[in-house]
Amino acid sequence: MSLIAQVFKYYHMGLSYRKIAKLLGISKSEVERIINAEKEKSKKGRKSQNLPFIPQELREKIKLLLEHKTQEKGKERNISFLKIYEVLELEFKSIGVNNKAKFYSFIQQFIKQEYGSLEALLTKRSDKKKVNQIRKNKGYIRRERIIEIDATGYTYKGERYAILQAMCQESGYLLDFMIIKSKEDKDVYYYNKSFNQIDFMFFLYNIFKKYGVADVKVDNEKFLITKNVERALNELGVKLIKAKAYNPREKLIERAFRTVKEEVRVLTALSNADFQELWESAVDKYNKTKHNFIAGSWIPAERFKPYEYENEDKLREAFAYEEERTWINGYIKFDNKTYFFQHPLLESMKTQLGRKKQNPTVKIRIDLENNTRAFVYTEKGEYLGIATLITTVEYTSTIEEKEAKQKAQRIERTKRKLQTKLDQLNQAKETKEESTINIFEEILNTPNLSTEPQTQTIEEEIPDPLSLFGE
């Protein structure tokens, strides 16, 4: 391979001039000279491409479709270039634009002629309040050897599912995923709220254990950037990269989501399997299919190589869920569980005796894979040992435990509401009975009323006998 070919190979991979020069053992200025010279040659050899004659009616139709926008689910939606071509295909052919390749070249020149640039068109058809969120295209993102993680949602047979998916950014290989069925009844669906930090830590722990440890790129969702997550990654020497807001090009996994979802739609029409199986089949097909990426074409499964593996005990200790608790005479309580742990340092940390004694505070880390043991540290982070679970509690997975806890809380709230309602009904019943008894007592105690029948006596007036004879 010639020097010029090697330079352009690395240049199209997104490497900087300095990096190319270092790899090929030449100067940075030599790299820059070669690239600029080849660009000038391509400009001179390129035929000038002018737009064909466009009837005014067709020109207005194209501009109308380019600037058209609708509101769907609270977001602005525009018509894609491909859809514009399909709608006006016959009219494009009438002016010599016979295929999609010619159309894409035509539409780029048309936009430049009518609007000045693609960014100007995006600004024109976007909401004025969101114009500052539009970013200019700075080229494609260079694929790095990191793990990219993002969440998405999907509705299958009327049920909503949240998916947490990991991807090797360098090869495009989709790693493991986690699916949770949403229980939200709202019209607006926030799939990111289906996960919490324990779910993410358990998911990331399994990824590192299976594929090796690498830097992680996520967006700015709260459950992805908690203190426990950052602490675990710091202990493993892993960098947490946060994607820029309002820039979907920052996450290469978004394009993979589109392809996988398209495959799931096809499988849905041909199969009655559950959603977990459909997603797994779509991911497997994606990994084994050749894709045309900007940097080249390859099959992700053939290009993927595992990362550097870490000691499993170190992973388990780092991803243990950490909370501060009080140590009381060898016992530590955490999430309705009791752990036993003795250490002379904790005995000596008691400050006072009697009613005012202060028991020491410790940091406890619960093993996500086995909650029958917990790592114990001082407040300053000094490792003390492992506490053992002494209460008999059957272990369940993180998701099952969370769902069971939420169900118990709902049942308890329902019981309290029903008990309150019953108390109100009993109180109303007692009040009604008391008022009825009082009414009867008032009637019986009224002096003018009696249960015995009353006889009315009529006194007749007796006439004076002398008045009958006069005086």
Side-chain angles (χ1 to χ4, degrees):
M1 186 182 291
S2 65
L3 179 62
I4 295 176
Q6 290 179 351
V7 168
F8 270 89
K9 175 187 173 183
Y10 291 127
Y11 176 71
H12 288 304
M13 290 175 61
L15 301 182
S16 64
Y17 290 173
R18 189 184 301 277
K19 187 69 175 178
I20 296 172
K22 186 176 180 181
L23 290 172
L24 298 179
I26 58 178
S27 64
K28 177 186 172 185
S29 59
E30 180 70 11
V31 174
E32 189 173 358
R33 184 189 65 77
I34 292 173
I35 293 174
N36 290 337
E38 290 298 318
K39 285 183 177 179
E40 287 298 324
K41 287 181 183 178
S42 62
K43 286 182 181 178
K44 291 179 181 179
R46 189 184 305 158
K47 295 181 180 180
S48 59
Q49 298 177 353
N50 297 321
L51 284 174
F53 172 75
I54 308 173
Q56 186 62 29
E57 184 179 356
L58 177 57
R59 186 182 293 271
E60 293 299 327
K61 284 183 181 179
I62 297 172
K63 290 178 66 176
L64 177 66
L65 294 175
L66 284 173
E67 297 176 12
H68 181 75
K69 59 184 179 182
T70 58
Q71 288 284 339
E72 297 177 16
K73 297 180 179 180
K75 293 184 179 180
E76 291 183 352
R77 306 290 183 181
N78 302 108
I79 301 175
S80 66
F81 292 164
L82 179 59
K83 196 64 179 176
I84 293 174
Y85 173 75
E86 292 175 353
V87 172
L88 303 176
E89 184 176 0
L90 295 177
E91 296 180 67
F92 283 132
K93 286 182 177 180
S94 67
I95 61 173
V97 182
N98 300 320
N99 52 50
K100 292 180 182 178
K102 288 185 178 180
F103 167 73
Y104 284 120
S105 176
F106 164 83
I107 200 67
Q108 290 176 7
Q109 295 177 60
F110 181 87
I111 291 172
K112 189 174 182 180
Q113 186 183 87
E114 293 291 332
Y115 302 98
S117 66
L118 179 60
E119 285 75 19
L121 171 63
L122 294 175
T123 303
K124 185 176 182 63
R125 66 183 187 180
S126 298
D127 188 357
K128 293 182 179 180
K129 296 180 180 179
K130 297 183 179 180
V131 169
N132 61 340
Q133 297 176 2
I134 298 176
R135 299 178 182 269
K136 292 185 178 181
N137 183 5
K138 298 182 180 179
Y140 68 91
I141 298 175
R142 182 164 58 92
R143 290 180 175 270
E144 299 179 354
R145 192 165 169 74
I146 62 176
I147 297 174
E148 192 171 325
I149 299 176
D150 196 15
T152 188
Y154 195 89
T155 303
Y156 177 64
K157 293 183 178 180
E159 300 289 347
R160 291 169 173 172
Y161 295 88
I163 307 105
L164 190 64
Q165 179 73 60
M167 183 187 79
C168 170
Q169 193 187 75
E170 182 187 40
S171 63
Y173 183 80
L174 293 176
L175 307 175
D176 289 356
F177 59 87
M178 176 186 289
I179 294 178
I180 293 180
K181 185 177 178 181
S182 175
K183 295 184 175 64
E184 293 185 6
D185 296 329
K186 299 178 181 177
D187 294 333
V188 181
Y189 174 42
Y190 301 100
Y191 53 82
N192 284 322
K193 293 184 178 181
S194 299
F195 301 100
N196 57 30
Q197 63 171 330
I198 298 180
D199 296 329
F200 179 59
M201 290 176 69
F202 189 72
F203 175 72
L204 200 54
Y205 163 74
N206 287 321
I207 292 289
F208 283 177
K209 185 171 69 171
K210 186 175 180 179
Y211 300 102
V213 178
D215 292 342
V216 179
K217 186 174 185 178
V218 298
D219 55 20
N220 293 289
E221 287 297 328
K222 291 182 179 180
F223 76 93
L224 297 172
I225 52 176
T226 60
K227 290 183 179 179
N228 267 303
V229 172
E230 292 181 345
R231 172 194 56 76
L233 297 181
N234 285 334
E235 290 183 6
L236 296 171
V238 173
K239 183 179 179 182
L240 183 63
I241 306 168
K242 300 175 185 177
K244 296 178 182 177
Y246 305 108
N247 194 358
R249 289 178 58 86
E250 277 283 310
K251 297 184 290 185
L252 298 178
I253 196 173
E254 293 287 354
R255 186 64 187 87
F257 278 151
R258 288 175 57 188
T259 306
V260 172
K261 287 181 179 181
E262 287 174 0
E263 181 63 24
V264 170
R265 293 186 192 104
V266 174
L267 294 174
T268 301
L270 303 175
S271 172
N272 291 323
D274 62 11
F275 182 69
Q276 181 94 11
E277 295 177 1
L278 294 179
W279 189 266
E280 186 176 359
S281 300
V283 167
D284 184 63
K285 183 175 180 180
Y286 178 90
N287 288 332
K288 295 178 180 178
T289 305
K290 188 175 183 179
H291 300 279
N292 295 321
F293 302 106
I294 296 178
S297 300
W298 63 79
I299 299 174
E302 295 179 355
R303 189 155 180 169
F304 172 70
K305 295 179 182 179
Y307 303 99
E308 184 178 351
Y309 287 97
E310 184 59 84
N311 181 272
E312 189 173 334
D313 290 335
K314 187 175 181 181
L315 288 176
R316 185 179 289 109
E317 182 180 348
F319 280 104
Y321 184 75
E322 183 179 275
E323 286 285 350
E324 286 191 355
R325 288 293 183 269
T326 302
W327 179 87
I328 304 175
N329 299 327
Y331 297 98
I332 305 171
K333 290 188 176 182
F334 178 82
D335 195 23
N336 297 325
K337 300 178 183 66
T338 303
Y339 294 86
F340 180 75
F341 181 72
Q342 287 285 7
H343 197 281
L345 179 62
L346 298 178
E347 291 286 351
S348 62
M349 290 173 65
K350 292 182 179 180
T351 55
Q352 296 183 17
L353 299 176
R355 296 174 62 184
K356 294 184 178 181
K357 70 177 181 180
Q358 296 180 358
N359 294 298
T361 301
V362 296
K363 289 181 179 180
I364 180 172
R365 294 187 185 178
I366 306 300
D367 191 339
L368 295 178
E369 221 175 25
N370 179 14
N371 66 358
T372 59
R373 63 177 188 170
F375 304 98
V376 183
Y377 299 79
T378 63
E379 283 186 287
K380 296 181 179 179
E382 180 184 352
Y383 179 68
L384 299 178
I386 297 177
T388 55
L389 182 68
I390 61 173
T391 53
T392 306
V393 179
E394 184 179 354
Y395 175 70
T396 56
S397 66
T398 305
I399 299 172
E400 292 172 352
E401 189 173 344
K402 180 181 70 174
E403 291 179 348
K405 188 175 180 180
Q406 291 175 348
K407 184 177 180 180
Q409 291 175 350
R410 290 196 298 269
I411 293 173
E412 187 62 31
R413 286 196 297 268
T414 305
K415 284 183 178 179
R416 287 199 299 267
K417 289 180 180 179
L418 293 174
Q419 186 62 44
T420 304
K421 188 77 173 178
L422 182 62
D423 293 341
Q424 291 175 353
L425 291 173
N426 290 334
Q427 186 176 0
K429 185 178 179 181
E430 292 175 359
T431 305
K432 187 175 180 179
E433 290 178 352
E434 290 179 0
S435 61
T436 304
I437 293 171
N438 292 336
I439 290 173
F440 277 110
E441 288 180 351
E442 290 178 2
I443 293 173
L444 295 173
N445 295 331
T446 302
N448 295 330
L449 298 176
S450 176
T451 57
E452 298 178 358
Q454 295 183 1
T455 56
Q456 185 176 3
T457 55
I458 301 175
E459 295 182 359
E460 297 182 358
E461 185 178 354
I462 301 174
D464 186 3
L466 295 179
S467 63
L468 296 176
F469 300 99
E471 293 180 357

